[in-house]
Structure formats: C-alpha cells, structure tokens
Amino acid sequence: MAVFIKRLTKTDIEKRLAIPTKSLEHFPGFNGRQGAYLKVKDRSHRLWRFRCSVRKTSYPKPVFSSGWLQFTHHYNLRIGDKITLRKQLKRDVSNGVQYKIEVQRKINLFGKDVWAHVL
C-alpha cells in the first residue's frame, strides 16, 4: 500500500523531505516525542533509517531529516524525480523493516516520456 507518492523539490533534495500531512496516520506513534526512526528498504534491499519528525507548532507537518540526505546523495536524486513510500504487508516485515521506497525518473525513450526506476 502506497503511503505517499511525491515529486521531489529542491528543498527535498538539499535539506529534508517534506511529507504529505495526510500520510502521518501511516507512521508509528511518536509516544509524546516529536520524532521516530523508520526502517526503510530500497529496491536493492539496502536498509535506510530515516528520522520522521513533526513540528512543535499546532500544524504537524512531517519531514524525513536524518538519513534522508545520505539517501539522496547515494542515488544522485534530482528535482522532479518521483518517490513512492510503501508500507510493508505484515507477512513481508523482517528485521523491523516497515516500509519500502522506490525512486523513479522521467526519461525520454523513443520520443515518449516514461518513468524509469532509479537504483
């Protein structure tokens, strides 16, 4: 199940990933804290840890901060790339991994724009 799909912005690439607020319900409770670490696997089965946090203000805009920039640099992500974060089915959860992340980039193939997976 897709938690969210997002086209990346300059801020997403250079500072932190702003997450759609409506997807906050898919993340574990923060137990009174402002953030929690999520274990996420990419398409090559590499494990990443992203810190998901919310603002202290009344508007709880979630972001991925710690670990996110390493991911963007590792895959040389660009503005306009599309990411999909999926929640793992219970039968697929191993080693506490709860999410999978996919990155796609628009390329022109024989005169047509297509989305190709970035590895």
Side-chain angles (χ1 to χ4, degrees):
M1 168 178 70
V3 174
F4 66 87
I5 299 171
K6 182 177 183 194
R7 299 273 301 264
L8 298 177
T9 66
K10 182 177 180 178
T11 300
D12 294 329
I13 299 297
E14 296 178 355
K15 298 186 179 196
R16 67 195 154 275
L17 175 68
I19 301 167
T21 304
K22 65 182 179 183
S23 62
L24 193 56
E25 66 189 56
H26 297 283
F27 299 122
F30 295 145
N31 298 325
R33 298 176 307 213
Q34 287 178 259
Y37 281 93
L38 306 177
K39 290 183 179 180
V40 181
K41 272 193 181 176
D42 62 22
R43 285 179 49 90
S44 64
H45 302 285
R46 182 172 175 172
L47 181 64
W48 298 89
R49 281 178 33 117
F50 300 144
R51 179 168 168 75
C52 180
S53 58
V54 293
R55 296 178 182 158
K56 292 180 182 179
T57 63
S58 61
Y59 180 63
K61 179 71 175 171
V63 296
F64 282 172
S65 52
S66 178
W68 173 251
L69 290 181
Q70 290 86 351
F71 181 80
T72 65
H73 292 125
H74 182 79
Y75 285 110
N76 192 30
L77 299 186
R78 304 176 191 163
I79 296 169
D81 286 350
K82 181 169 60 173
I83 63 163
T84 302
L85 187 77
R86 299 183 187 283
K87 195 163 187 174
Q88 296 269 77
L89 299 175
K90 288 191 188 263
R91 68 176 182 270
D92 294 335
V93 176
S94 62
N95 297 323
V97 176
Q98 299 169 315
Y99 304 93
K100 290 176 83 172
I101 192 165
E102 297 175 358
V103 180
Q104 294 178 302
R105 180 169 295 147
K106 190 185 286 189
I107 62 170
N108 188 287
L109 186 63
F110 303 114
K112 292 189 177 188
D113 287 338
V114 296
W115 288 97
H117 286 281
V118 175
L119 287 178

